[in-house]
Amino acid sequence: MAREELTRLTGTGDGTGECGQGDCPNLYRTASGSFIVQGQVSGAFTPPSGEGLVEIPEDVLREAFRALGW
């Protein structure tokens, strides 16, 4: 799945501010209604094979909730 196929819920993506060129914590929604999380890799514990852990700031989740009207 390409990034262009996702709906970006957070960040401006315009190359300004702390997010730069989109390389910051973000939350995306897929066409099927699930979510893709972009964030710092976390080593809190070892997840099952095929899964990964990322850490994102609370403000990114709050921004995504606002974008979804939650």
Side-chain angles (χ1 to χ4, degrees):
M1 174 179 313
R3 185 183 289 195
E4 295 77 26
E5 298 174 65
L6 304 172
T7 300
R8 186 176 181 156
L9 300 175
T10 57
T12 61
D14 65 0
T16 63
E18 115 182 30
C19 287
Q21 296 296 317
D23 294 332
C24 60
N26 276 302
L27 199 64
Y28 300 87
R29 192 164 199 184
T30 68
S32 66
S34 62
F35 297 93
I36 304 291
V37 178
Q38 175 187 353
Q40 295 290 336
V41 175
S42 173
F45 63 89
T46 302
S49 179
E51 295 184 4
L53 303 175
V54 297
E55 184 174 343
I56 60 171
E58 180 180 328
D59 63 313
V60 172
L61 289 177
R62 290 182 182 276
E63 183 181 352
F65 294 158
R66 281 191 299 274
L68 291 167
W70 295 357

